[in-house]
Amino acid sequence: MTDTEITADLVRDLLQEQHPDLAGLAIREVVGGWGNQMWRLGDELAVRVQRMDPTPELQLKERRWLPVLAPRLPLPVPTPVRFGEPSERFPKHWTVMTWVPGEPLDHGSISRGAHAAGTLAGFLRALHVEAPADAPASSHFGAHPKRCTGGFERFLQAIDRDAVGDVRAVRAVWADAVAAPEWEGPPVWVHGDLHPANVVVSDGTLSGIIDFGDMFAGDPAWDLAAAWVILPEGAASRFFDVYAHADEAAIRRARGLAAMKSLFLMLMGQNGERGLPGGKPNWGPAGRAALDRVLRCDLTQTR
């Protein structure tokens, strides 16, 4: 963490110091973000400034791999165009990236569910290819659900019991994911953190994917969970039809991971309502809706 307040003036000073040809562009703060803070730069760029992340690892990962992945992905993703290095003015990393137009889903909505399902499935089919040997390994994301039970329990226990509702049903979904076979294919590229704040929508459907700091090579089920976390009611079966590469075990793991991600969103919403650091009040309803979709899902319709 840094004690330096990140302001528009600071961002302009950093640009003037390291990329003076960009310093004259308009700078506007982008609401949201936690590990990194975003500033819109002109109409086509953004500055991603390391804030709460204790190390530059996530930004450096995006710098290294997004230029490799972006050309073959069917949706816009932020691509690094300039690097900002630690300096006396500011001791952390920052990156100038392309701006992905649209509105983050946690402030927008999807009204064209079938279109969004096909779009997301097509994006993930393009992303989920075998990763090279030097691709980043998974860290706190990426493990089989049976190795994530501690996190699942922490989220479940931290949320008001009345807000969760049918705890037994939630645990049953998780238990089924824990019992599912492990991923046996080669490690594939995985975004890893698909939730409403990390996808962009316009015209009622998905129009971009952002925040690749947690990307890794591993089990695609971590992204397939988005069928319930991101897409509206009834769109999961369309998603899996178009994706076409998910076997029964992957879908079971994905559904359990979707339950855990939903609980995380609900917890962040609860923290926001209580004024706690990092809380996001608008994430609570998104998490509740996602958990309801998980619990109502009939897996036989996704196979």
Side-chain angles (χ1 to χ4, degrees), residues 30 40 76 99-105 107-108 199-203 205-208 210:
V30 178
R40 187 86 178 265
W99 174 256
V100 178
E103 185 177 28
L105 181 56
H107 293 280
V199 300
V200 173
V201 296
S202 59
D203 297 324
T205 190
L206 288 180
S207 57
I210 59 176

Side-chain angles (χ1 to χ4, degrees), residues 9-239:
D9 288 340
L10 172 63
V11 174
R12 193 173 303 284
D13 287 349
L14 295 176
L15 290 167
Q16 188 64 55
E17 179 181 86
Q18 299 188 34
H19 299 285
D21 59 313
L22 301 179
L25 296 174
I27 298 174
R28 292 158 285 169
E29 184 175 6
V30 178
V31 177
W34 178 246
N36 295 277
Q37 186 169 345
M38 293 285 289
W39 294 80
R40 187 86 178 265
L41 181 63
D43 293 329
E44 298 180 353
L45 299 173
V47 182
R48 187 167 166 83
V49 184
Q50 185 187 343
R51 180 169 58 179
M52 302 300 291
D53 285 343
T55 74
E57 176 187 356
L58 303 187
Q59 277 210 31
L60 298 180
K61 189 193 303 187
E62 289 184 323
R63 291 182 183 183
R64 168 69 178 88
W65 292 108
L66 277 175
V68 175
L69 296 174
R72 60 177 177 77
L73 296 176
L75 285 176
V77 300
T79 306
V81 296
R82 303 283 185 91
F83 300 159
E85 305 304 329
S87 65
E88 184 176 342
R89 182 72 177 88
F90 185 71
K92 293 197 169 192
H93 289 73
W94 50 280
T95 305
V96 180
M97 312 183 82
T98 55
W99 174 256
V100 178
E103 185 177 28
L105 181 56
D106 61 332
H107 293 280
S109 62
I110 292 175
S111 57
R112 298 163 61 197
H115 186 280
T119 299
L120 179 61
F123 177 86
L124 292 180
R125 283 190 60 160
L127 176 64
H128 291 168
V129 298
E130 185 172 353
D134 58 341
S138 59
S139 53
H140 59 296
F141 292 143
H144 186 281
K146 65 187 176 185
R147 290 185 282 277
C148 302
T149 294
F152 170 82
E153 287 293 339
R154 283 194 299 274
F155 297 155
L156 185 59
Q157 296 299 326
I159 302 169
D160 289 342
R161 187 56 57 98
D162 291 343
V164 176
D166 192 344
V167 174
R168 181 177 297 181
V170 176
R171 289 192 184 280
V173 169
W174 184 253
D176 184 60
V178 167
E182 301 220 20
W183 169 248
E184 295 181 349
V188 301
W189 280 113
V190 179
H191 179 285
D193 197 23
L194 290 176
H195 61 71
N198 288 342
V199 300
V200 173
V201 296
S202 59
D203 297 324
T205 190
L206 288 180
S207 57
I209 308 292
I210 59 176
D211 197 347
F212 282 73
D214 288 305
M215 74 176 116
F216 62 86
D219 180 359
W222 279 79
D223 284 350
L224 301 181
W228 298 280
V229 176
I230 289 174
L231 297 175
E233 183 74 29
S237 58
R238 162 73 174 164
F239 168 83

